Short mmCIF file of all heavy atoms in Angstrom, two decimals:
data_model
loop_
_atom_site.label_atom_id
_atom_site.label_comp_id
_atom_site.label_asym_id
_atom_site.label_seq_id
_atom_site.Cartn_x
_atom_site.Cartn_y
_atom_site.Cartn_z
N ILE K 959 0.70 -0.24 -4.01
CA ILE K 959 1.95 -0.83 -4.04
C ILE K 959 2.62 -0.60 -5.36
O ILE K 959 3.92 -0.42 -5.35
CB ILE K 959 1.73 -2.39 -3.64
CG1 ILE K 959 1.24 -2.49 -2.36
CG2 ILE K 959 2.93 -3.17 -3.94
CD1 ILE K 959 0.69 -3.96 -1.93
N ILE K 960 1.94 -0.78 -6.48
CA ILE K 960 2.53 -0.49 -7.69
C ILE K 960 3.10 0.89 -7.89
O ILE K 960 4.20 1.14 -8.42
CB ILE K 960 1.43 -0.87 -8.88
CG1 ILE K 960 1.36 -2.36 -9.00
CG2 ILE K 960 2.04 -0.36 -10.18
CD1 ILE K 960 0.10 -2.79 -9.79
N ALA K 961 2.25 1.83 -7.44
CA ALA K 961 2.66 3.29 -7.50
C ALA K 961 3.86 3.66 -6.69
O ALA K 961 4.81 4.23 -7.18
CB ALA K 961 1.43 4.19 -7.03
N THR K 962 3.91 3.01 -5.55
CA THR K 962 5.08 3.29 -4.67
C THR K 962 6.38 2.61 -5.21
O THR K 962 7.36 3.17 -5.15
CB THR K 962 4.76 2.78 -3.28
OG1 THR K 962 3.54 3.42 -2.76
CG2 THR K 962 5.89 3.15 -2.34
N THR K 963 6.20 1.47 -5.65
CA THR K 963 7.41 0.68 -6.26
C THR K 963 7.82 1.47 -7.54
O THR K 963 9.03 1.71 -7.73
CB THR K 963 7.01 -0.70 -6.52
OG1 THR K 963 6.50 -1.41 -5.40
CG2 THR K 963 8.22 -1.45 -7.06
N SER K 964 6.89 2.00 -8.32
CA SER K 964 7.26 2.72 -9.51
C SER K 964 7.94 3.99 -9.24
O SER K 964 8.85 4.46 -9.85
CB SER K 964 5.99 2.93 -10.37
OG SER K 964 5.50 1.83 -10.83
N MET K 965 7.48 4.61 -8.11
CA MET K 965 8.18 5.87 -7.68
C MET K 965 9.64 5.66 -7.35
O MET K 965 10.47 6.57 -7.73
CB MET K 965 7.56 6.44 -6.38
CG MET K 965 7.94 7.80 -5.98
SD MET K 965 7.31 8.46 -4.39
CE MET K 965 5.63 8.23 -4.64
N LYS K 966 9.97 4.57 -6.76
CA LYS K 966 11.52 4.23 -6.63
C LYS K 966 12.23 4.22 -7.85
O LYS K 966 13.20 4.75 -7.99
CB LYS K 966 11.53 2.83 -5.88
CG LYS K 966 12.95 2.24 -5.86
CD LYS K 966 13.81 3.09 -4.96
CE LYS K 966 15.27 2.34 -4.74
NZ LYS K 966 16.19 3.25 -4.01
N TYR K 967 11.59 3.65 -9.00
CA TYR K 967 12.20 3.55 -10.29
C TYR K 967 12.17 4.84 -11.06
O TYR K 967 12.75 5.06 -12.09
CB TYR K 967 11.59 2.45 -11.13
CG TYR K 967 11.97 1.08 -10.60
CD1 TYR K 967 11.09 0.33 -9.89
CD2 TYR K 967 13.32 0.61 -10.76
CE1 TYR K 967 11.47 -0.85 -9.38
CE2 TYR K 967 13.66 -0.61 -10.22
CZ TYR K 967 12.73 -1.45 -9.52
OH TYR K 967 13.07 -2.61 -9.07
N SER K 968 11.32 5.86 -10.60
CA SER K 968 11.11 7.18 -11.41
C SER K 968 12.40 7.97 -11.00
O SER K 968 12.72 8.99 -11.89
CB SER K 968 9.96 7.88 -10.80
OG SER K 968 10.26 8.46 -9.60
N GLU K 969 13.28 7.61 -10.15
CA GLU K 969 14.44 8.50 -9.95
C GLU K 969 14.16 10.05 -9.75
O GLU K 969 14.63 10.81 -10.43
CB GLU K 969 15.54 8.19 -11.01
CG GLU K 969 16.02 6.79 -11.02
CD GLU K 969 17.08 6.49 -12.03
OE1 GLU K 969 17.67 7.40 -12.60
OE2 GLU K 969 17.42 5.28 -12.35
N GLY K 970 13.36 10.20 -8.69
CA GLY K 970 12.90 11.49 -8.46
C GLY K 970 12.05 12.15 -9.50
O GLY K 970 12.00 13.43 -9.73
N PHE K 971 11.27 11.30 -10.22
CA PHE K 971 10.46 11.81 -11.35
C PHE K 971 11.22 12.30 -12.56
O PHE K 971 10.76 13.05 -13.22
CB PHE K 971 9.39 12.80 -10.79
CG PHE K 971 8.33 12.28 -9.77
CD1 PHE K 971 8.34 12.69 -8.53
CD2 PHE K 971 7.50 11.22 -10.17
CE1 PHE K 971 7.47 12.27 -7.55
CE2 PHE K 971 6.58 10.72 -9.27
CZ PHE K 971 6.64 11.25 -7.93
N SER K 972 12.44 11.77 -12.68
CA SER K 972 13.12 12.16 -13.78
C SER K 972 12.98 11.12 -14.90
O SER K 972 13.65 11.41 -16.10
CB SER K 972 14.75 12.37 -13.38
OG SER K 972 15.19 11.04 -13.01
N ARG K 973 12.39 10.00 -14.73
CA ARG K 973 12.13 9.11 -15.73
C ARG K 973 10.62 8.99 -16.05
O ARG K 973 9.91 8.85 -15.12
CB ARG K 973 12.52 7.69 -15.28
CG ARG K 973 14.18 7.62 -15.16
CD ARG K 973 14.72 6.35 -14.71
NE ARG K 973 14.42 5.29 -15.82
CZ ARG K 973 14.21 3.98 -15.47
NH1 ARG K 973 14.27 3.58 -14.16
NH2 ARG K 973 14.00 3.26 -16.40
N LEU K 974 10.35 9.10 -17.29
CA LEU K 974 8.89 9.37 -17.78
C LEU K 974 8.02 8.11 -17.33
O LEU K 974 7.00 8.46 -16.69
CB LEU K 974 8.83 9.59 -19.26
CG LEU K 974 7.44 9.70 -19.81
CD1 LEU K 974 6.80 10.98 -19.25
CD2 LEU K 974 7.44 9.73 -21.27
N TRP K 975 8.18 6.94 -17.77
CA TRP K 975 7.29 5.93 -17.66
C TRP K 975 7.07 5.47 -16.17
O TRP K 975 5.90 5.36 -15.77
CB TRP K 975 7.77 4.73 -18.52
CG TRP K 975 7.39 5.12 -20.01
CD1 TRP K 975 8.30 5.22 -20.89
CD2 TRP K 975 6.20 5.20 -20.58
NE1 TRP K 975 7.73 5.54 -22.15
CE2 TRP K 975 6.29 5.51 -21.84
CE3 TRP K 975 4.92 5.23 -20.14
CZ2 TRP K 975 5.38 5.82 -22.82
CZ3 TRP K 975 3.74 5.43 -20.85
CH2 TRP K 975 4.04 5.71 -22.31
N PRO K 976 8.12 5.41 -15.37
CA PRO K 976 7.85 5.06 -14.02
C PRO K 976 7.10 6.19 -13.32
O PRO K 976 6.23 6.01 -12.40
CB PRO K 976 9.18 4.90 -13.39
CG PRO K 976 10.13 4.48 -14.52
CD PRO K 976 9.51 5.15 -15.80
N SER K 977 7.36 7.49 -13.64
CA SER K 977 6.62 8.63 -13.16
C SER K 977 5.16 8.53 -13.50
O SER K 977 4.32 8.82 -12.71
CB SER K 977 7.34 9.93 -13.71
OG SER K 977 8.60 10.01 -13.23
#
Side-chain angles (χ1 to χ4, degrees):
I959 291 166
I960 291 166
T962 302
T963 303
S964 295
M965 190 185 304
K966 171 69 175 170
Y967 290 106
S968 77
E969 296 180 14
F971 296 114
S972 65
R973 295 181 60 214
L974 178 63
W975 288 109
S977 298

